[in-house]
Amino acid sequence: MIESHGTWYRRGLRDGVPIGLGYLAVSFTLGIAAKVSGMGAGDATLMSLLNNTSAGEFAALGIIAAGAPYLEMAFTQLVINLRYLLMSCALSQKIAPETPIWQRLMMGYTVTDEIFAISAAVPGRLDPFYCLGAISVAAPGWALGTCLGVLLGNALPGRIVSALSVALYGMFLAVILPPARKSKVIAGVVAASMIASALFTYLPVLSGLSSGTRIIILTVLIAGAAAILFPIPEENDHAA
Amino acid sequence: MQPNVYVYIAVMALVTYLIRVLPLTLIRRQIQNRTIRSFLFYMPYATLAVMTFPAILSATGTPWSALVGLIVAAAMAWRGCSLFTVASVACVAVFAAECVLL
């Protein structure tokens, strides 16, 4: 059964709508922070359009305001966004090996936490056009929210922002819980990850780590342990 | 030399794009190593779980409304509801909880 790129693109658009709405709300805060740090609406929107990354852009605001060296900007982004490298590795195995290079280059722009989540949830092979569909709604939402945040400040009522922020986390749960229900190992991975993440967030010393570092360390440890203890069957090609 | 905001934006965009695009373009074949394939199979569950909890608890006006959202979303997701349903119902639940709590 071969589906056209158009079908995949439209499916991505549909699944990208809640992501775009969530981004619109969450990026208001980024816009407000950008304004406080002295950035104009145009510059902040450009930054959001080109980066699509929450933690990385928040960190960038401080670096730009401080007039820190460019190398520091590069290094900070590398550390904060390193999780995308792992996500991209996983996605490289989910697309067809014969996927042309230009589609891979375009897909690189679409790797955000949320689009990775919905892409990982696609059964079997993933078509890059699904990710392109999702980013076509998500990126404008992110950029528009940033722009409005600079121009209008906190225009959205707090309850709406709260509700839409949780919607993004709800998506993560919708991706990880159904497979966890079917597989005890996945359930164990999810439970261990959440407990460890809570420990790393609240315990002294460990809580000093940035969220990006925490995500990388725990992913490597927990997914690594699961891979060694419970390797997937040889046949199980791309069941993720 | 005065630092330029566009150079900053270009540097961060380049670094972030390279992180995202390099594995997708360099790993063109199906990985055969069973341990690596297993790692990449489990990786999304670990990453997404780490990102969700406990961060979700500080995503709203009060941890209590976030807890309501977390429980509702987890229950819906566990029952296999679609992404869109889980996201929308969690959204409504948090909104309603904040109307009552705040």
Side-chain angles (χ1 to χ4, degrees), chain A residues 43 51-52 67-68 70 81 88 93 104-105 108 111 125 162-163 166 172 181 193 197 219 230-232 234 237, chain B residues 3-4 6 8 13 16-17 20 23-24 27 29-31 34 37-38 42 47 50 52-53 60-61 78 91 98:
Chain A
D43 294 351
N51 288 278
N52 291 311
Y70 296 130
N81 292 331
S88 179
Q93 297 301 297
R104 292 170 186 265
L105 288 173
V111 184
R125 281 273 176 235
S162 291
V166 169
F172 294 162
R181 192 179 177 176
S193 302
S197 175
T219 299
F230 311 99
I232 53 171
E234 292 292 356
D237 227 350
Chain B
N4 181 308
Y6 299 105
Y8 279 123
T16 308
Y17 179 67
R20 286 168 161 153
L24 275 169
I27 312 175
R29 293 180 184 181
Q30 213 65 43
I31 293 174
R34 194 175 171 200
R37 290 197 323 144
S38 300
Y42 291 121
T47 301
V50 168
T52 304
F53 192 82
T60 64
W78 188 257
C91 216
E98 299 218 336

Side-chain angles (χ1 to χ4, degrees), chain A residues 37-48:
Chain A
S37 81
M39 229 182 185
D43 294 351
T45 310
L46 181 71
M47 176 178 76
S48 275

Side-chain angles (χ1 to χ4, degrees), chain A residues 3-235:
Chain A
E3 287 167 296
S4 72
H5 289 322
T7 309
W8 279 100
Y9 184 82
R10 280 190 295 278
R11 196 177 297 161
L13 274 180
R14 186 198 63 197
D15 292 349
V17 168
I19 298 180
L21 284 174
Y23 281 3
L24 180 65
V26 173
S27 58
F28 259 87
T29 338
L30 179 68
I32 294 163
K35 188 184 182 182
V36 170
S37 81
M39 229 182 185
D43 294 351
T45 310
L46 181 71
M47 176 178 76
S48 275
L49 255 186
L50 294 178
N51 288 278
N52 291 311
T53 171
S54 173
E57 288 184 50
F58 271 107
L61 293 177
I63 294 170
I64 295 172
Y70 296 130
L71 198 63
E72 186 177 330
M73 172 68 95
F75 185 73
T76 307
Q77 296 301 315
L78 177 68
V79 172
I80 294 183
N81 292 331
L82 202 59
R83 66 183 184 284
Y84 297 134
L85 192 83
L86 283 177
M87 296 179 186
S88 179
C89 286
L91 291 172
S92 78
Q93 297 301 297
K94 217 167 153 53
I95 57 176
E98 59 273 16
T99 304
I101 191 86
W102 64 272
Q103 289 183 18
R104 292 170 186 265
L105 288 173
M106 284 170 69
M107 193 175 163
Y109 175 68
T110 73
V111 184
T112 70
D113 297 339
E114 289 75 15
I115 294 176
F116 168 72
I118 62 169
S119 304
V122 168
R125 281 273 176 235
L126 173 72
D127 187 304
F129 281 81
Y130 177 77
C131 307
L132 291 176
I135 198 79
S136 314
V137 233
W142 184 251
L144 182 65
T146 311
C147 183
L148 293 176
V150 177
L151 294 177
L152 306 174
N154 220 343
L156 285 178
R159 285 166 193 167
I160 305 251
V161 177
S162 291
L164 288 167
S165 312
V166 169
L168 292 177
Y169 289 108
M171 283 182 201
F172 294 162
L173 292 170
V175 170
I176 58 180
L177 290 186
R181 192 179 177 176
K182 292 194 196 96
S183 150
K184 284 205 176 93
V185 180
I186 295 176
V189 166
V190 167
S193 302
M194 288 189 172
I195 293 167
S197 175
L199 291 177
F200 270 58
T201 307
Y202 299 123
L203 286 185
V205 185
L206 291 176
S207 61
L209 295 171
S210 72
S211 74
T213 313
R214 183 174 77 231
I215 292 167
I216 294 279
I217 292 179
L218 293 180
T219 299
V220 170
L221 285 180
I222 295 169
I228 291 164
L229 296 172
F230 311 99
I232 53 171
E234 292 292 356
E235 300 283 291

